[in-house]
Amino acid sequence: MSETREHTTVVIVGAGVAGMTLGNLLLRNGVDCVVLEKHSRAYVEQRQRAGTIDTFGVRLFRDWGLEEVLEGDRIPDSEGGFFIDGEEMPIDVGDDNESLFCPQQVLVRNLTDVFLRDGGDLRYEAADVSLHDIDGERPLVRYRDAAGTTKTLACDYIAGCDGFHGVSRRSIPAGVLTEYSHEYGYSWLSILAAVPTSPSGMAIHARGLAGMIPRGPQATRIYLQCPVDDTPEQWPQERVWSELEARFGTSVSTGEIVDKRIVPLRSVVFDPMSHGRLYLLGDAAHIVPPMSAKGIHLALHDTEVFARAVIARIKKGDPTLLATYSETCLPHIWNYQAFASWITDLMHNAGDTTYEGEFRKQTARAELQRQFTSDTASRLFAELTAGTN
């Protein structure tokens, strides 16, 4: 089998939000990079995932001259609220909030289009990716292309943007990373339905939490709290729609269910977020429960920190920011893990007494009520929601 060898400054493993954002930031600042993606472009751009881009993310793209990636198929984050026992209680997120819904596959497609238009090197269907000598001066990334040719990329740095189950973190020797994790006592039935989002928001109810979040004009992501041992087969279409209506306390849009799966809720952080010349970004380094809508936020924050560090090293010869990458990212990550844990427990306990009982339900509802009656509490919630805290 033939083999070729090349060199680049940064190899980016994974062409999701973190990988494609990083590729664009480096490319626009004259830093050579190659992006490797194990799936086809069609698969990546059709993969449905959450798409909340908070104020921090919107401003990041604007500040780096990439605001165009937010255009098309986006939904302003201006509607929806909390439904408590059928009563709608929208929260004022503040006049300074620029958050929006942009389906993640749309954001990735736009980032990809800009990257390729500007001459970026993106290689799809990169099979059997393996990382070598990551703690040496010149790490290697080896993969097999669609034609069956084994290729080796020598580089200065590797950015692991390939998610929680990717090869990047698994390439770090055992014992180097400390894993901090928390398993919540419930799961979500996650559904993609080809229906308009009506109503939009999250519902708190004694039967469990429910959510209907827009993913496009005719696409809705639906969430239903369920026991951890439930299976999708236990949730036929009729049960889904009737349970949504019961938890929201109003009629809901119904239609074709495109995808249905059980999502365990968990929080995970790995420390440190680097080893040698391998740096972990986004889900490769941490997971937040979807209730917080902060997955993209944390991925973009990691990406900006790492991009600035690499640019400083290459352009100015300053290694300081790379050396402190984990120390810079982790306090921010823990701040939003705290927010994610708080809002997740609060929203679930305020309705369902199965897990922590009636006392916790009443204290959770008191905490929620504070968001509507206290300017101070509302302001902090708005800052965390916007990602500016």
Side-chain angles (χ1 to χ4, degrees), residues 68-145:
E68 64 182 295
V69 304
L70 301 177
E71 297 175 355
D73 297 328
R74 77 185 200 182
I75 305 166
D77 189 8
S78 59
E79 298 182 356
F82 290 160
F83 295 74
I84 302 180
D85 295 334
E87 179 184 357
E88 184 174 4
M89 304 181 70
I91 287 184
D92 181 6
V93 296
D95 296 335
D96 197 37
N97 192 293
E98 300 180 68
S99 303
L100 54 86
F101 288 123
C102 180
Q104 193 169 141
Q105 71 275 12
V106 174
L107 177 60
V108 170
R109 182 193 68 201
N110 292 347
L111 285 164
T112 300
D113 287 343
V114 172
F115 184 69
L116 295 176
R117 181 197 69 196
D118 292 349
D121 189 342
L122 172 54
R123 307 179 188 185
Y124 288 105
E125 300 181 76
D128 301 326
V129 174
S130 58
L131 282 51
H132 307 271
D133 301 326
I134 59 176
D135 53 356
E137 290 297 316
R138 187 58 58 85
L140 302 175
V141 179
R142 187 167 287 116
Y143 72 98
R144 181 167 42 82
D145 68 13

Side-chain angles (χ1 to χ4, degrees), residues 257-329:
I257 291 178
V258 179
D259 182 71
K260 183 170 55 177
R261 63 191 65 191
I262 299 294
V263 178
L265 269 63
R266 59 183 173 174
S267 293
V268 183
V269 177
F270 289 92
D271 182 359
M273 294 168 57
S274 65
H275 177 66
R277 292 183 174 241
L278 167 63
Y279 297 80
L280 304 177
L281 285 70
D283 286 358
H286 41 72
I287 296 288
V288 289
M291 180 74 249
S292 65
K294 289 302 168 189
I296 289 180
H297 169 93
L298 291 178
L300 292 177
H301 184 268
D302 295 348
T303 300
E304 185 173 40
V305 171
F306 181 69
R308 292 190 186 281
V310 171
I311 292 167
R313 179 66 182 87
I314 300 302
K315 298 293 185 180
K316 301 177 182 178
D318 182 1
T320 306
L321 296 180
L322 275 174
T324 58
Y325 170 71
S326 282
E327 290 83 350
T328 301
C329 291

Side-chain angles (χ1 to χ4, degrees), residues 109-231:
R109 182 193 68 201
N110 292 347
L111 285 164
T112 300
D113 287 343
V114 172
F115 184 69
L116 295 176
R117 181 197 69 196
D118 292 349
D121 189 342
L122 172 54
R123 307 179 188 185
Y124 288 105
E125 300 181 76
D128 301 326
V129 174
S130 58
L131 282 51
H132 307 271
D133 301 326
I134 59 176
D135 53 356
E137 290 297 316
R138 187 58 58 85
L140 302 175
V141 179
R142 187 167 287 116
Y143 72 98
R144 181 167 42 82
D145 68 13
T149 301
T150 299
K151 296 191 174 183
T152 300
L153 289 165
C155 59
D156 299 315
Y157 307 102
I158 303 171
C161 305
D162 51 345
F164 190 79
H165 299 289
V167 68
S168 295
R169 194 182 65 252
R170 297 201 310 269
S171 300
I172 296 176
V176 171
L177 305 183
T178 299
E179 178 181 352
Y180 301 93
S181 63
H182 173 65
E183 300 289 336
Y184 297 84
Y186 36 79
S187 293
W188 278 5
L189 175 71
S190 177
I191 294 166
L192 181 65
V195 297
T197 308
S198 178
S200 174
M202 304 297 295
I204 294 170
H205 194 275
R207 301 172 71 98
L209 191 76
M212 294 188 71
I213 309 298
R215 290 292 177 258
Q218 293 292 323
T220 298
R221 178 61 70 179
I222 294 168
Y223 300 113
L224 286 165
Q225 178 185 351
C226 63
V228 292
D229 56 356
D230 267 13
T231 64

